[in-house]
Amino acid sequence: MKRDFNFTDFAIRYGFLILMAGLVIGFSIAQPAFLTARSGVFILQSVAITGILALGVTATLVVGGFDLSIGAVATSALMLSAYTMVIWDLGAVEAVVFCLAMGAFVGLVNGLLIVKMRVPDLLATLGMMFLLMGLQRIPTEGNSISTGMSLPDGSTASGVFSPGFLMLGRHRLDFILDDLVPLSVVFLIVIALLVWGFLELTRHGRVMYAIGSNAKAASLAGINVNFYRVLAYVISGTLASFGGILLSARLGRGDVASGNNLLLDAVAAALIGFAVLGAAKPNAFGTAIGALFVGILLQGLTMLNAPYYTQDFIKGAVLVVALVFTFALSGRGGRARG
Amino acid sequence: MPQDAIVITGLTRSFARNHVLRGVNLTLPAGKVTVLMGANGAGKSTLVKILCGVQRRDAGQITLDGMPFDPPDPAAALRAGVVTVHQNINDGVAPDLDVASNLLLDELAAGSSFFLNTRRMREEARRIAGAVGLEVDVSRPVRELVLADRQLVSIARAMSHHPRLLILDEPTSSLSAAETERLFTLIDRLRAEGVAILYISHRMSDIRRLADRIVSMRDGQISGQFEGDTLDYAGAVRAMLGHEITEVDIAIPPQGRAVIEARALRLRPDSVPFDLSLHENEVVAITGLVGSGKSAFAEVLYGVSRAVGGQITLDGSAYTPQNPGVAVKAGVFLSAKDRLLNAVIPEFDITRNMTLPFLSRHAGLLALLRPGSERGTATRMIGEMGVVCQSPKDSILTLSGGNQQKVVVARWLAEASRLLILDEPFQGVDIQARRDIGRHIRASASGRATLVLCAEIDEALEVADRILVMSEHSIIGAHRNQNIDLGLVMAQVTESAAGHVA
């Protein structure tokens, strides 16, 4: 059986990885400081939070859905953790538990809106996004939360961010060099491996892909389609709230203005992931590579002193190219998402 | 002496390493119905796609009324007078638009004036509809029409272009007997008007009724042409398959113990209740018109919907499944009809399509799947069913229709069941694949009850020990498949259910 070399196939499979290698080489030549361990770790740190959010979106994309509320869930978790520690004066454990529970609950509500109330995915999560963006500002009347702020009842907030909580976002582990690897990067890698294993290696992941491909057929194969669709949103909400916890721990205050770019960056990473290795479908490995790709690009541009406002433009351009890779070149028409 | 509307010479087309058409030479005379027969994968669909402008040829000539014909897209083919009615009826209509807009869709697309003149459109639409005997209110949206009327809408729309060649691809597969007859009358009229008709079907009853000529196709070439006063149907099937097809001999085995017993089962508030029992080691077919309630009965047994009244027992205990998951756990499996809609997972390969319902069997600690176990099941079922493929990792969409059907049926044969329901298992499947599937259903039937639902009586005769007739959501006749009185079965299929209980 003769197998002739097909350039299009090759480009679809390896195009993005080659492009990424090219970027690394190009930036290294232009700016030798780019190719150092510190710079590499900085890239990973910059993508840790969006990467975790993107892995959550990937779960919803797999079942043929889409979660637009992840950015708002993350910033809500940021505000909730600050509120828990600064205003209620509780500890790190409570803050983490409250945030994760909030994220899971929001995911559950999203899922139920979609499967029980039959609201289309995009609209349900868009509504939830607006709801949370407003809700997170109500308790503090729109102000950021920090120790010593005056509260609506006239008293002063006495609580502080607990050191244990701040460690989640700021601690660095010794790895080859002292203080090299941030804890958040470890979280990203562990979560990426878990999501990848869940989607690719377990029967639950397989079933979720079946639902995304043909939900009617999956249901007639005896699969509880609604359960898995809700599960996907719970995973997405929980991971988004964990991303919010890391953001809060890094900032050390409940900043109402943070996290504006989280949604777009995470969605871009997940969609770029479609093009990695010619998968033409949402996948955890591709999402992780997509997040890394965006990180490398932005870090390189920053080191080359490109103005900040060009970065959004370049992110958008990369996303469009990735989508062309997925949908036009592979000729499979991609997934018909409704 | 009729002129030749379409002359095709030396037509070839390949997809990568796969040579689908290898030099097709075919003439389609005006005013004749040419039936095209071919096994799944013989190249029929590709030939049609080239004629209607969906795909381009690699080499070869086509002339239409003596002029070279090479449509770059479907619109060009339509303008040249080649009209295609596809198997999937909804492909030909815009369901949310009203009938008039659908009938005039091509004019709307071409667009002579900016604003629409509703009254003139409706008059024009009524004229076009009348020409094919379609009697509906043209202001109704197409989605409210029955399937047969929707098909007539797409034919009527095509007819307003004065076609030279009309291609019909399995047009009767979703039609009732009366609707089929209405379509045939229309075809007769078009034939008399001098339109060349290319009719693609696996149904012998359609072919006997319509064919002036039969052309058999095998492995991308024309393998036989049959014309004259008496057509050689057996020869046409032989040419299509490349070998003789043997008649199926059913030796009815002894019934085992009862698996399913239904008492006074009422599928609809206004339907007549019926009793039914299904036993181990027997294959029971239910036949009846489209819409007679066969699929509704299957849905009740499989937990998709609930019966209005009556009881069902499974192995002696009450059985009312809440959803398909519960049914599968109880050992009741359903291989649904319309495989692309209800069974095929397009993004999965053959293996993953086969193992989908029973993934827990292939999963171990932490729900991790064991690829070896999946591969074993897939390889075994591919062998048993005779699925023609290069590897179990082939994407399901690379398979021909018959082989896809074998995969989705094999999905449910891979595990032991108490009751296996197969809804239209022979849909869009050539005769060889049909025999393969039928043989395997029989061979594996000893430990379970098997229920086959099929609208075609011929298919029921090939596979069943007992044939039940369903009409208006009730069983109105039961026949042992031995010296069966076909006239009586046919009469029951078409008569009303009033006053009959099996």
Side-chain angles (χ1 to χ4, degrees):
Chain A
M1 197 165 69
K2 193 170 128 244
R3 249 202 123 106
D4 20 9
F5 177 80
N6 183 324
F7 180 74
T8 319
D9 280 355
F10 184 80
I12 289 168
R13 265 189 91 70
Y14 301 109
F16 244 82
L17 294 179
I18 291 170
L19 199 58
M20 196 158 92
L23 274 182
V24 171
I25 294 167
F27 284 137
S28 309
I29 293 169
Q31 180 55 270
F34 182 84
L35 202 64
T36 59
R38 297 253 175 236
S39 155
V41 167
F42 188 83
I43 292 174
L44 285 173
Q45 189 180 10
S46 74
V47 300
I49 292 171
T50 50
I52 289 168
L53 263 65
L55 288 162
V57 180
T58 304
T60 62
L61 288 169
V62 166
V63 295
F66 205 150
D67 191 348
L68 286 178
S69 68
I70 47 163
V73 171
T75 50
S76 296
L78 164 72
M79 295 304 281
L80 178 60
S81 61
Y83 206 88
T84 306
M85 289 180 292
V86 174
I87 294 175
W88 288 336
D89 209 357
L90 296 172
V93 176
E94 287 91 336
V96 170
V97 169
F98 288 174
C99 288
L100 292 179
M102 183 274 299
F105 178 74
V106 170
L108 181 69
V109 173
N110 276 334
L112 293 177
L113 281 175
I114 290 159
V115 305
K116 293 291 177 203
M117 304 295 162
R118 304 192 177 280
V119 183
D121 304 75
L122 282 171
L123 302 183
T125 56
L126 184 72
M128 184 56 76
M129 177 180 102
F130 287 131
L131 186 154
L132 289 175
M133 277 168 29
L135 181 64
Q136 70 195 16
R137 294 176 183 211
I138 291 178
T140 60
E141 299 180 330
N143 297 311
S144 294
I145 300 171
S146 54
T147 305
M149 71 183 286
S150 50
L151 298 175
D153 62 7
S155 63
T156 304
S158 59
V160 290
F161 270 69
S162 93
F165 186 83
L166 292 174
M167 229 179 87
L168 292 175
R170 295 176 177 178
H171 186 70
R172 286 166 176 266
L173 303 172
D174 299 342
F175 180 75
I176 306 174
L177 300 174
D178 282 350
D179 284 348
L180 180 67
V181 182
L183 211 47
S184 55
V185 171
V186 177
F187 286 129
L188 170 67
I189 292 169
V190 169
I191 288 173
L193 284 173
L194 284 177
V195 172
W196 176 80
F198 178 77
L199 289 177
E200 301 293 330
L201 302 181
T202 72
R203 74 186 160 87
H204 304 295
R206 176 75 61 78
V207 162
M208 285 168 69
Y209 273 113
I211 292 169
S213 186
N214 185 346
K216 182 85 188 291
S219 159
L220 285 173
I223 290 164
N224 189 342
V225 172
N226 285 350
F227 169 80
Y228 281 102
R229 291 182 73 189
V230 173
L231 177 66
Y233 285 94
V234 171
I235 291 172
S236 175
T238 310
L239 288 183
S241 65
F242 189 68
I245 290 170
L246 294 185
L247 183 63
S248 169
R250 189 184 295 170
L251 296 173
R253 61 195 293 264
D255 187 349
V256 288
S258 299
N260 289 334
N261 269 336
L262 286 176
L263 171 66
L264 288 178
D265 289 2
V267 167
L271 292 180
I272 288 172
F274 279 37
V276 175
L277 290 181
K281 61 178 189 183
N283 65 98
F285 178 72
T287 299
I289 297 293
L292 197 58
F293 188 92
V294 173
I296 288 173
L297 196 64
L298 298 187
Q299 167 73 351
L301 290 171
T302 308
M303 290 178 85
L304 292 180
N305 294 321
Y308 69 91
Y309 44 79
T310 55
Q311 300 195 349
D312 276 351
F313 165 74
I314 287 172
K315 257 188 287 185
V318 167
L319 178 57
V320 170
V321 170
L323 294 176
V324 169
F325 261 94
T326 304
F327 292 97
L329 293 185
S330 70
R332 294 184 227 172
R335 294 152 67 90
R337 250 216 352 266
Chain B
M1 178 82 193
Q3 79 226 75
D4 293 334
I6 286 259
V7 180
I8 301 168
T9 40
L11 192 68
T12 63
R13 170 77 209 200
S14 308
F15 298 96
R17 281 166 284 120
N18 191 4
H19 303 289
V20 178
L21 297 181
R22 357 171 143 221
V24 171
N25 299 309
L26 178 63
T27 302
L28 303 173
K32 298 266 185 202
V33 175
T34 305
V35 167
L36 181 61
M37 292 176 73
N40 297 117
K44 301 186 304 280
S45 333
T46 307
L47 177 61
V48 169
K49 281 179 184 159
I50 290 175
L51 284 174
C52 66
V54 173
Q55 282 172 2
R56 304 301 293 268
R57 74 194 75 165
D58 290 340
Q61 308 279 312
I62 306 175
T63 61
L64 175 62
D65 291 328
M67 305 288 289
F69 174 70
D70 183 14
D73 54 49
L78 199 61
R79 274 195 303 277
V82 174
V83 163
T84 312
V85 177
H86 292 281
Q87 188 173 3
N88 186 347
I89 289 169
N90 285 324
D91 282 356
V93 292
D96 290 333
L97 296 183
D98 63 13
V99 175
S101 304
N102 265 285
L103 289 174
L104 300 169
L105 203 55
D106 307 301
E107 272 170 49
L108 291 176
S112 48
S113 65
F114 186 71
F115 291 102
L116 303 174
N117 180 339
T118 314
R119 197 175 52 83
R120 228 197 35 229
M121 271 179 65
R122 292 204 172 140
E123 271 169 27
E124 177 71 6
R126 266 191 285 277
R127 194 186 55 74
I128 296 171
V132 297
L134 171 66
E135 286 155 9
V136 294
D137 176 1
V138 296
S139 60
R140 278 174 63 190
V142 162
R143 75 182 118 77
E144 291 177 5
L145 303 185
V146 297
L147 224 43
D149 282 343
R150 283 188 218 182
Q151 188 183 42
L152 275 183
V153 167
S154 66
I155 296 178
R157 184 178 129 207
M159 297 324 297
S160 63
H161 292 270
H162 309 288
R164 298 296 304 137
L165 171 65
L166 174 64
I167 303 170
L168 297 132
D169 187 0
E170 295 266 0
T172 57
S173 52
S174 316
L175 301 188
S176 72
E179 292 162 344
T180 301
E181 193 43 50
R182 188 172 63 169
L183 177 68
F184 289 170
T185 314
L186 177 64
I187 292 175
D188 286 341
R189 228 189 58 220
L190 294 172
R191 159 162 58 190
E193 287 172 9
V195 178
I197 292 162
L198 182 64
Y199 192 95
I200 298 165
S201 184
H202 294 301
R203 290 193 169 179
M204 280 321 282
S205 50
D206 290 11
I207 296 170
R208 287 204 176 86
R209 164 74 173 73
L210 288 171
D212 296 312
R213 321 161 59 224
I214 299 179
V215 174
S216 301
M217 204 169 168
R218 177 156 56 91
D219 295 337
Q221 285 180 314
I222 302 299
S223 55
Q225 298 208 36
F226 303 85
E227 34 204 325
D229 291 337
T230 50
L231 291 170
D232 179 6
Y233 298 108
V237 172
R238 197 159 51 234
M240 153 185 145
L241 294 174
H243 58 82
E244 207 66 57
I245 192 85
T246 47
E247 284 305 308
V248 179
D249 260 335
I250 301 256
I252 298 180
Q255 268 183 358
R257 61 199 166 91
V259 176
I260 285 279
E261 291 196 79
R263 293 277 163 268
L265 195 67
R266 196 189 275 272
L267 297 178
R268 278 190 178 177
D270 57 349
S271 67
V272 180
F274 62 91
D275 296 347
L276 169 115
S277 55
L278 304 170
H279 302 258
E280 270 181 1
N281 201 26
E282 72 167 348
V283 179
V284 176
I286 299 185
T287 187
L289 301 176
V290 173
S292 60
K294 303 188 299 293
S295 296
F297 181 44
E299 286 179 358
V300 166
L301 289 173
Y302 194 54
V304 177
S305 57
R306 246 52 75 216
V308 175
Q311 291 92 43
I312 304 174
T313 58
L314 172 67
D315 289 322
S317 41
Y319 173 69
T320 43
Q322 295 307 303
N323 57 53
V326 174
V328 170
K329 279 204 185 66
V332 174
F333 302 168
L334 167 70
S335 169
K337 67 176 172 183
D338 297 328
R339 64 175 169 272
L340 286 176
L341 221 54
N342 296 327
V344 167
I345 305 291
E347 285 179 11
F348 280 12
D349 60 14
I350 296 172
T351 306
R352 292 178 176 200
N353 264 288
M354 278 191 180
T355 56
L356 183 64
F358 304 106
L359 283 177
S360 5
R361 164 171 292 260
H362 303 290
L365 189 69
L366 291 173
L368 290 171
L369 289 164
R370 289 176 286 128
S373 164
E374 287 194 78
R375 200 162 45 239
T377 298
T379 312
R380 172 169 66 85
M381 293 315 296
I382 286 172
E384 282 182 17
M385 294 293 287
V387 178
V388 182
C389 62
Q390 293 184 348
S391 121
K393 292 189 163 189
D394 288 359
S395 156
I396 181 107
L397 295 182
T398 63
L399 301 182
S400 67
N403 282 306
Q404 284 180 11
Q405 187 69 27
K406 285 180 183 174
V407 171
V408 298
V409 169
R411 174 188 287 177
W412 297 108
L413 287 167
E415 301 289 325
S417 55
R418 294 304 299 144
L419 168 66
L420 176 65
I421 310 162
L422 298 131
D423 195 357
E424 298 290 354
F426 309 118
Q427 211 172 26
V429 157
D430 69 59
I431 188 163
Q432 187 58 57
R434 187 166 109 198
R435 294 287 162 84
D436 288 350
I437 294 171
R439 190 180 317 116
H440 197 76
I441 291 172
R442 288 220 131 262
S444 61
S446 61
R448 59 155 197 261
T450 309
L451 183 63
V452 181
L453 313 177
C454 45
E456 283 283 284
I457 295 174
D458 290 354
E459 294 173 2
L461 289 171
E462 273 181 24
V463 74
D465 308 329
R466 276 197 296 150
I467 297 178
L468 309 180
V469 180
M470 193 158 221
S471 176
E472 298 185 358
H473 289 73
S474 185
I475 303 281
I476 60 161
H479 308 266
R480 202 173 143 80
N481 190 6
Q482 221 165 31
N483 307 319
I484 196 164
D485 180 354
L486 271 179
L488 178 60
V489 178
M490 294 294 283
Q492 286 175 338
V493 164
T494 48
E495 89 184 66
S496 131
H500 294 268
V501 183

